[in-house]
Amino acid sequence: MSSPVISTPSGVPEAVHRRRWAILGALMLSLLIVVLDNSILNVAIKTISTPEPTGLGATQSELEWAINAYTLVFAGLLFTAGLLGDRLGRKKVLLAGLVVFGLGSALAAHSGSPVQLIAFRAVMGLGAAFVMPATLAVLMNVFERDEQPKAIGIWAGGVGLAIAIGPITGGILLDHFWWGSVFLVNVPIVIIALALMIWLVPDSRDPKPGRIDLFGVALSVVGLVLLVYGIIKGGQLADFTDPAVLGTVAAGLLVLAGFVLHEKRSDHPSIDIAYFKNKVFSAAICAIALVFFALMGVTFFAVFYTQSVRGYSPLETGLLMLPLAVAQLIFAPRARLVVDRFGVRAVCTGGLLLVALTLTAFTLFEADTPIWLLEVVFFLMGTGMAHIMTPTSVVIMQALPREKAGSASALSNTFRQVGGALGIAVLGSVLSTAYRNGVEDKLSLLPPGVRHTAGESIEATLGVAAKLGPEGRPLVSAANDSFLHAMHVTALCGAGVAVLGALVVFLFLPGRTPAPGGPRENEAEPVGATGH
């Protein structure tokens, strides 16, 4: 920064304050590629599951791992990324993360097998872990407290924009290029983002950073991987009582419990457990995790519904999912106005109940349901999400002092990603188990060696049916019926999770915003609206 001497009353340098909106634009471009990548992949999963040379022939569990390798590494390292940003400087960490993400994208585009794709997706997750928390932490250090809710609303709207652009971009690329193009497209965006970051974004850090808790980081990563691996394995075997599944899940939970105990006793924890003594902070974190649990699980099965059952192309699927993103883009920046009027509790409870209602609506969808109904449901779901994400993000970010912005952002994004990873794992496994149970009887005519593979997913069943020619037609009908039943069961599970989130929010989030003279910036009682 060239002129840090003149500052605003809260300590933001005047030169930084003047270009704060341009900085927000640069931060949103970095955010765009991190979110864009997941939304693009959601459209590409059917293509990647197709046998070579069109795709990689990935199974349902390999697809789940291609998504979760990214989210697990991302979630596991966010604690460390937030601390490193606070210690070394958020701009430096952000630039390093973008470089790693770009390299991982280029490697993923040229994967020769599902295993390679999973490995390179993990590299992308490593880069993204250093990008996502840094964007929100920088934002909190360049905006005054009274402008932070508006800035966070625009930031959350950027997530909606990325969700909108992702499926359409993915569809266009898959219509004209090979499947790897959905990853290669990240590279030019990374280059542009790097140039803007170097030019515009100021560096900032915590003046009193803590030491890095390497043992705690290792425990969190191992615990999450074991837990999610066990859940995915249960779906793959269609048996959650299998000793290997139960043992892996139990080991994951045990390691995560050890992580919490270690963090409580450590003098330099990755995550300060004391933050969670604030019920408002904990409820906001919980709401973010649960809404992403529901969203990621729904997106996973919605792609198979539109492409495999309804026969739409990847591009058409991307366009069909547009209302979900457009609603977030419209309402996320405006959610603060609704919060000012009705309070955080009412807005977030209403948002989660709306998400639960739209998930329940998926139980009404059949193979011939008018497609405009799906569009309405997606728009309402996006509306509900927008009224959860912005208020809870503001609550979380304003709960901690400005110098701890990296830690607050890391916590918010960690629970968001863990929620999303568990949503894909749990709801994906419910979908897989319900589908296999439904289609199993119809696979008895197939050779014994083919039955297990054919029952893994609707795409696998349809692939076998296509090879059988006219004799495979009854199998197509059975696959569609079984998938629809599995989708209905999965949607109800997601709706139940959203209702649980609504209950937590209603009990613990604050009501109306207090009048001026309420909690100050360094207090942990943020009600996330207008500041003072």
Side-chain angles (χ1 to χ4, degrees), residues 287-337:
I288 277 187
L290 291 175
V291 78
F292 262 75
F293 180 100
L295 175 74
M296 294 301 286
V298 168
T299 308
F300 191 77
F301 69 64
V303 169
F304 284 102
Y305 172 68
T306 52
Q307 292 188 47
S308 300
V309 177
R310 303 300 297 260
Y312 289 101
S313 70
L315 176 57
E316 288 167 337
T317 297
L319 292 169
L320 286 172
M321 296 179 78
L322 195 57
L324 176 69
V326 168
Q328 290 183 68
L329 193 59
I330 293 171
F331 294 112
R334 295 169 175 80
R336 66 192 172 85
L337 303 175

Side-chain angles (χ1 to χ4, degrees), residues 3-368:
S3 55
V5 179
I6 304 172
S7 296
T8 60
S10 70
V12 178
E14 182 62 32
V16 172
H17 182 73
R18 282 199 304 267
R19 64 175 191 266
R20 64 195 184 283
W21 297 109
I23 292 169
L24 178 60
L27 293 173
M28 285 177 64
L29 186 60
S30 301
L31 176 70
L32 184 74
I33 56 168
V34 175
V35 181
L36 184 78
D37 180 73
N38 265 344
S39 58
I40 280 185
L41 183 60
N42 285 331
V43 174
I45 52 178
K46 180 181 180 292
T47 305
I48 294 170
S49 70
T50 307
E52 295 185 69
T54 305
L56 290 175
T59 64
Q60 182 106 347
S61 57
E62 285 170 338
L63 286 174
E64 290 174 17
W65 272 111
I67 296 170
N68 282 328
Y70 177 89
T71 49
L72 277 178
V73 173
F74 190 12
L77 292 176
L78 275 168
F79 297 137
T80 310
L83 286 171
L84 282 175
D86 289 344
R87 170 188 283 271
L88 303 176
R90 289 145 193 153
K91 180 176 180 176
K92 296 184 188 73
V93 164
L94 186 50
L95 293 173
L98 283 170
V99 170
V100 173
F101 185 87
L103 288 172
S105 298
L107 291 168
H110 296 93
S111 301
S113 68
V115 173
Q116 284 186 13
L117 177 62
I118 291 166
F120 294 138
R121 287 276 298 160
V123 174
M124 293 171 69
L126 173 64
F130 289 87
V131 172
M132 191 83 154
T135 60
L136 203 48
V138 170
L139 181 154
M140 296 300 288
N141 278 273
V142 300
F143 281 91
E144 302 295 341
R145 186 174 173 85
D146 61 344
E147 281 189 325
Q148 286 171 3
K150 183 179 180 181
I152 290 174
I154 294 170
W155 181 89
V159 175
L161 178 64
I163 293 171
I165 292 172
I168 296 167
T169 306
I172 293 169
L173 290 170
L174 291 170
D175 271 3
H176 295 90
F177 305 102
W178 97 113
W179 63 266
S181 61
V182 301
F183 299 111
L184 202 59
V185 72
N186 292 332
V187 177
I189 303 175
V190 165
I191 292 169
I192 295 168
L194 282 169
L196 288 173
M197 288 289 157
I198 292 167
W199 177 37
L200 284 171
V201 176
D203 208 352
S204 61
R205 67 186 73 195
D206 184 350
K208 297 177 182 177
R211 285 185 291 147
I212 302 300
D213 177 20
L214 294 176
F215 183 64
V217 170
L219 284 176
S220 68
V221 174
V222 171
L224 282 169
V225 170
L226 285 171
L227 177 63
V228 176
Y229 178 79
I231 294 168
I232 292 174
K233 192 68 178 174
Q236 188 182 358
L237 298 174
D239 182 10
F240 284 93
T241 61
D242 185 277
V245 173
L246 290 174
T248 310
V249 170
L253 291 172
L254 197 63
V255 172
L256 289 174
F259 167 71
V260 173
L261 289 173
H262 170 74
E263 296 300 288
K264 287 178 76 172
R265 294 173 181 173
S266 175
D267 59 357
H268 58 287
S270 294
I271 170 174
D272 190 342
I273 302 299
Y275 296 156
F276 292 93
K277 291 179 181 177
N278 179 351
K279 292 178 182 178
V280 172
F281 181 83
S282 297
I285 286 277
C286 182
I288 277 187
L290 291 175
V291 78
F292 262 75
F293 180 100
L295 175 74
M296 294 301 286
V298 168
T299 308
F300 191 77
F301 69 64
V303 169
F304 284 102
Y305 172 68
T306 52
Q307 292 188 47
S308 300
V309 177
R310 303 300 297 260
Y312 289 101
S313 70
L315 176 57
E316 288 167 337
T317 297
L319 292 169
L320 286 172
M321 296 179 78
L322 195 57
L324 176 69
V326 168
Q328 290 183 68
L329 193 59
I330 293 171
F331 294 112
R334 295 169 175 80
R336 66 192 172 85
L337 303 175
V338 187
V339 170
D340 288 347
R341 177 78 181 273
F342 300 105
V344 179
R345 179 193 298 142
V347 172
C348 290
T349 302
L352 277 159
L353 289 176
L354 183 56
V355 169
L357 188 65
T358 54
L359 283 166
T360 305
F362 271 94
T363 62
L364 305 175
F365 287 109
E366 302 292 344
D368 57 353

